[in-house]
Amino acid sequence: MPTLLITGANRGLGLEFVKHYAAAGWRVHACARHPEAPELTAVAGDVRRHELEATDWGGIAALAQSLRGEAIDLLLANAGIAGQAAGDLGTIDPDVWAQTFQTNALAPVKLAEAFVEHVASSKLRLMIAITSRLGSISLNDGGGRYAYNASKSALNMGWKSLSVDLKARGITCVVLHPGWVSTNMGGAQAPVTPPQSVAGMTKVIAGVKAADSGRFFNFDGEALTY
């Protein structure tokens, strides 16, 4: 039985990932600030819920210790925030930048650091981070959203470094753009639904090979540039 550990599991994309992998027979460690959320507790299957704030470094370490000896086939760093209060030029808030970077860029790398032994001992040995096309420097033709975009660029760089440093251990590290999704963050006007996004991303994940480590993919499998 393969095992998934995912953050931000109680709503949006995280919840859809939990539903998908639990239905496929995986053991799922679902981490969320509110693991008692009705939508999450209603998911059938081997779902083990853990209370975890993405930027609680002590909590991450404690969870890794409590799961010591358990192989994690797929580590999925999904939790993130919009950081929109930082806005455009004229409304940039340093505190919002700091919070956005801690959640979107640092927290996923700290999660990977804490669980590297768990992933290394698994069969699949996959680390996936949910990023955004808005974090691509080469594709930035819209400007704005400074804190969010920069935080996702930083996440991409962190995950690329992981792919280099963990290559010798056979761990594959990939970042995925979920599309513009109709979640609380994406808004109701977004053209892609969470089930559509996750259906695409799980297909990409299932096809990832060791040679793909360090790459950046769209939810439909298109290769994106950093």
Side-chain angles (χ1 to χ4, degrees):
M1 173 194 302
T3 300
L4 162 71
L5 186 140
I6 181 172
T7 57
N10 65 304
R11 67 182 185 181
L13 294 175
L15 183 61
E16 289 299 327
F17 274 120
V18 172
K19 290 177 180 177
H20 172 90
Y21 285 107
W26 288 46
R27 172 177 295 162
V28 177
H29 290 286
C31 305
R33 283 182 295 172
H34 303 292
E36 75 287 352
E39 297 83 1
L40 182 56
T41 59
V43 179
D46 187 0
V47 179
R48 306 180 183 201
R49 294 175 288 113
H50 306 277
E51 183 175 353
L52 184 69
E53 163 59 50
T55 57
D56 178 2
W57 317 132
I60 292 172
L63 179 60
Q65 177 64 24
S66 73
L67 296 176
R68 187 175 62 176
E70 179 161 1
I72 303 294
D73 290 275
L74 170 58
L75 181 80
L76 217 169
N78 167 72
I81 59 175
Q84 290 175 330
D88 298 327
L89 286 175
T91 62
I92 289 176
D93 183 338
D95 291 334
V96 171
W97 268 65
Q99 180 188 26
T100 306
F101 264 73
Q102 284 227 341
T103 303
N104 291 355
L106 178 57
V109 175
K110 289 293 289 182
L111 187 75
E113 179 185 55
F115 283 93
V116 65
E117 298 298 333
H118 305 69
V119 176
S121 67
S122 74
K123 181 179 180 180
L124 298 182
R125 290 176 291 182
L126 293 173
M127 289 186 174
I128 305 292
I130 303 305
T131 185
S132 173
R133 185 182 185 278
L134 296 175
S136 169
I137 294 174
S138 63
L139 297 176
N140 183 358
D141 57 7
R145 299 193 62 164
Y146 286 82
Y148 180 79
N149 294 3
S151 73
K152 291 298 189 178
S153 292
L155 169 59
N156 292 349
M157 178 59 81
W159 226 250
K160 177 67 174 180
S161 291
L162 284 174
S163 75
V164 174
D165 293 339
L166 300 179
K167 181 178 180 179
R169 306 199 66 181
I171 296 175
T172 301
C173 305
V174 168
V175 290
L176 295 179
H177 170 52
W180 181 15
V181 188
S182 55
T183 59
N184 287 350
M185 186 184 297
Q189 73 276 24
V192 181
T193 67
Q196 289 170 334
S197 176
V198 168
M201 287 191 287
T202 53
K203 184 176 180 179
V204 173
I205 292 169
V208 163
K209 299 177 177 60
D212 294 319
S213 197
R215 299 186 69 188
F216 182 6
F217 292 103
N218 195 42
F219 77 101
D220 62 2
E222 176 191 3
L224 299 177
T225 59
Y226 287 108

